Amino acid sequence: MTDLCAEDLATIYAKPSPRVIAKARPAIDAHAKKFIEMSPFCVLATSGTDGSVDASPRGGGIGFAHVAAPNQLLMPDRSGNNRIDSFRNVVEGSGFVHLLFFVPGIDETLRVGGRGTLSIDPDLLASMVEYGKPPRAVLNVAVSEVYFHCGKALMRSKLWSPEKVQRSVMPSIGEVIHDQTGLGEPESQEMVEERYKTQL
């Protein structure tokens, strides 16, 4: 297998069209705002001090992320595994963040990039209560780039197809982690779902 170098890329890929370059906007416009307000899920990518990259899923009710201004996006942090890899990268690493928003049923996705900071301002936390709980912190993104991705990847994957994998074909997350680590209990899927009811 031969690894490509930078010069090889131009021989494989055509230059992007002016329209593709121009679609990257410096702020959240009306279309991007509407998409974010419809989105219940995104992937948050951050970079660490050692050049490592972390990507983690984030979600909530529809419109869980809030557009505070054209260049300000607020995203509450809900209960998770407490590794805080993403937030450690925000406060110790480059501070650069990218979010990729999804809306079920729409094949296009929206990328939002900028620099992030974290806040635990009591009034801000109180304004973002969901499932009866305030977030533990809020990611405040100073937005510098926003653009829509075409729907080809989701169309190829048929991500929104009504044909779904049955959950029973895969062990529960509790069983997987027990097999991998030997730690904790091998909880069944029913036990995991019951625990999640009090931890969302």
Side-chain angles (χ1 to χ4, degrees):
M1 182 180 294
T2 302
D3 292 337
L4 298 178
C5 63
E7 291 74 19
D8 295 326
L9 296 177
T11 67
I12 299 171
Y13 297 96
K15 287 184 177 180
S17 69
R19 184 176 179 177
V20 168
I21 299 298
K23 74 176 183 176
R25 311 308 299 163
I28 299 170
D29 68 2
H31 299 294
K33 183 175 186 289
K34 181 175 182 178
F35 197 91
I36 292 167
E37 289 173 345
M38 293 189 298
S39 175
F41 176 79
C42 74
V43 176
L44 168 65
T46 59
S47 56
T49 55
D50 59 356
S52 62
V53 176
D54 179 75
S56 64
R58 304 292 164 133
I62 292 173
F64 74 102
H66 303 263
V67 177
N71 291 102
Q72 185 183 25
L73 181 71
L74 301 172
M75 190 179 71
D77 181 52
R78 304 296 175 190
S79 175
N81 60 18
N82 293 323
R83 283 183 55 115
I84 58 173
D85 297 314
S86 300
F87 285 174
R88 202 177 303 282
N89 286 345
V90 168
V91 300
E92 296 177 356
S94 70
F96 288 114
V97 302
H98 265 86
L99 301 106
L100 189 62
F101 286 94
F102 294 75
V103 174
I106 297 179
D107 289 324
E108 291 74 26
T109 53
L110 178 72
R111 184 188 295 195
V112 177
R115 279 190 175 271
T117 56
L118 295 177
S119 174
I120 55 169
D121 177 80
D123 291 337
L124 184 57
L125 298 182
S127 71
M128 295 187 174
V129 171
E130 190 175 37
Y131 299 106
K133 302 173 186 176
R136 296 177 298 177
V138 174
L139 175 64
N140 182 6
V141 181
V143 175
S144 58
E145 184 180 54
V146 181
Y147 64 90
F148 282 95
H149 284 280
C150 75
K152 292 176 185 174
L154 271 67
M155 292 171 73
R156 285 190 288 257
S157 70
K158 299 180 180 176
L159 186 62
W160 308 133
S161 168
E163 297 177 13
K164 297 180 181 178
V165 172
Q166 295 299 311
R167 183 62 186 85
S168 59
V169 304
M170 184 77 184
S172 74
I173 186 70
E175 291 165 335
V176 168
I177 294 175
H178 182 267
D179 288 347
Q180 293 172 335
T181 68
L183 300 174
E185 297 298 323
E187 298 174 305
S188 67
Q189 183 62 25
E190 291 76 17
M191 294 169 69
V192 170
E193 291 177 2
E194 192 63 30
R195 178 164 50 81
Y196 282 168
K197 290 178 182 179
T198 62
Q199 294 183 354
L200 289 179

